[in-house]
Amino acid sequence: NAGVTQTPKFQVLKTGQSMTLQCAQDMNHEYMSWYRQDPGMGLRLIHYSVGAGITDQGEVPNGYNVSRSTTEDFPLRLLSAAPSQTSVYFCASSFLQGNTEAFFGQGTRLTVV
Amino acid sequence: TQLLEQSPQFLSIQEGENLTVYCNSSSVFSSLQWYRQEPGEGPVLLVTVVTGGEVKKLKRLTFQFGDARKDSSLHITAAQPGDTGLYLCAATTSSGYALNFGKGTSLLVTP
C-alpha cells in the first residue's frame, strides 16, 4: 500500500520555467490537497479538490493551477516559476466525511533560481 | 481563514523533562487534530479530539480539547529524543473540507 506518492522529491527550476508536481494516492480518497511549507509559516493551503472534476482555491493559490481528472491523481502546475515559490510542497489526501486522518506524501523540495 | 496560534514556537529541553504546547483560536471547532512531522517527512496524525473537555492519551502524550472547543494542549511526560519533531495542530475550515494548520511548535529533546 503506497499511500500518497509525490514526484519528484527534489527540483531546481529557473525563473520563468513551468513544471508539474505529481501526486497520486491509492486509498480511494475523495479529498486531495496541496500545501506549501516555509520556515516559520507552517503549512499553507494552495488548492484542494473534493472529487474528480472539482477543485477550489486555498489560502495561497496565485501562480499555481490544479486539475482533478481522476480520483487518484492531483497534479500541481507552476505556470511561470518565481523565486518566491521556493518551498517544500506537500500533497495530502483523506476521506471526505467527518474528522478523518489526512495522509501526506513525503514532499517535493523546490528551488527556483 | 480560521487562525490557529501555536505556542511556544520553539522548545529545547533535556530528556526526562515534561512539556506542554498550546494551540489557540478565537473560532469554535467541531474537531481538532494534532500531527507530528519529522525532518524530510510529511506530517503524521497523532490524535483527533472532538468533544469539548475531551482528554486523550497516547503513551506519554496527553491531548486535551478545551471546554469551549477553541483551544487544545499537548502534554508530553518524560520527553525522549524520539519525541523531537514539529508538532502541528489543525482544524477544518468553515468549508468543512480543507484543513488549516497552525505554524507549529518545533521540539528538540537532547539526551
Side-chain angles (χ1 to χ4, degrees):
Chain A
N1 191 353
V4 179
T5 303
Q6 289 185 237
T7 56
K9 290 188 178 180
F10 301 94
Q11 183 71 48
V12 178
L13 286 179
K14 293 183 178 179
T15 298
Q17 287 185 318
S18 62
M19 78 160 295
T20 299
L21 280 62
Q22 301 292 343
C23 176
Q25 55 90 10
D26 62 359
M27 297 172 281
N28 203 30
H29 286 163
E30 305 97 332
Y31 180 79
M32 296 185 73
S33 56
W34 277 101
Y35 293 87
R36 60 177 290 173
Q37 187 172 37
D38 303 291
M41 299 297 292
L43 286 159
R44 292 184 291 170
L45 183 64
I46 304 172
H47 286 285
Y48 65 95
S49 169
V50 298
I54 306 170
T55 64
D56 206 347
Q57 296 181 352
E59 180 186 357
V60 288
N62 292 339
Y64 308 94
N65 272 358
V66 292
S67 59
R68 183 98 178 267
S69 56
T70 68
T71 300
E72 295 78 18
D73 300 299
F74 191 44
L76 178 72
R77 297 183 185 84
L78 279 70
L79 309 173
S80 177
S84 61
Q85 294 180 303
T86 293
S87 187
V88 181
Y89 291 84
F90 287 98
C91 178
S93 74
S94 67
F95 289 113
L96 196 56
Q97 300 301 328
N99 313 308
T100 58
E101 176 178 3
F103 291 84
F104 285 81
Q106 288 198 309
T108 295
R109 183 173 293 275
L110 175 68
T111 302
V112 183
V113 298
Chain B
T1 301
Q2 297 158 321
L3 187 63
L4 289 164
E5 297 185 356
Q6 290 191 244
S7 61
Q9 187 176 1
F10 300 100
L11 195 53
S12 180
I13 62 172
Q14 290 192 318
E15 183 175 4
E17 293 184 16
N18 300 332
L19 67 117
T20 302
V21 298
Y22 300 92
C23 176
N24 296 295
S25 176
S26 58
S27 300
V28 176
F29 299 109
S30 59
S31 67
L32 190 140
Q33 297 180 326
W34 284 93
Y35 289 79
R36 180 167 66 202
Q37 184 180 19
E38 298 185 9
E41 302 290 330
V44 175
L45 181 70
L46 295 173
V47 77
T48 300
V49 286
V50 179
T51 306
E54 180 177 6
V55 176
K56 281 191 172 179
K57 292 190 176 184
L58 185 65
K59 297 183 180 178
R60 294 174 294 100
L61 278 62
T62 301
F63 303 85
Q64 185 161 8
F65 201 15
D67 290 340
R69 292 185 286 121
K70 292 183 177 182
D71 54 84
S72 182
S73 64
L74 159 58
H75 181 79
I76 302 179
T77 303
Q80 299 178 0
D83 296 326
T84 292
L86 180 67
Y87 290 82
L88 296 155
C89 65
T92 307
T93 65
S94 55
S95 73
Y97 303 126
L99 270 181
N100 269 344
F101 283 83
K103 293 183 179 180
T105 293
S106 181
L107 173 65
L108 175 64
V109 183
T110 55

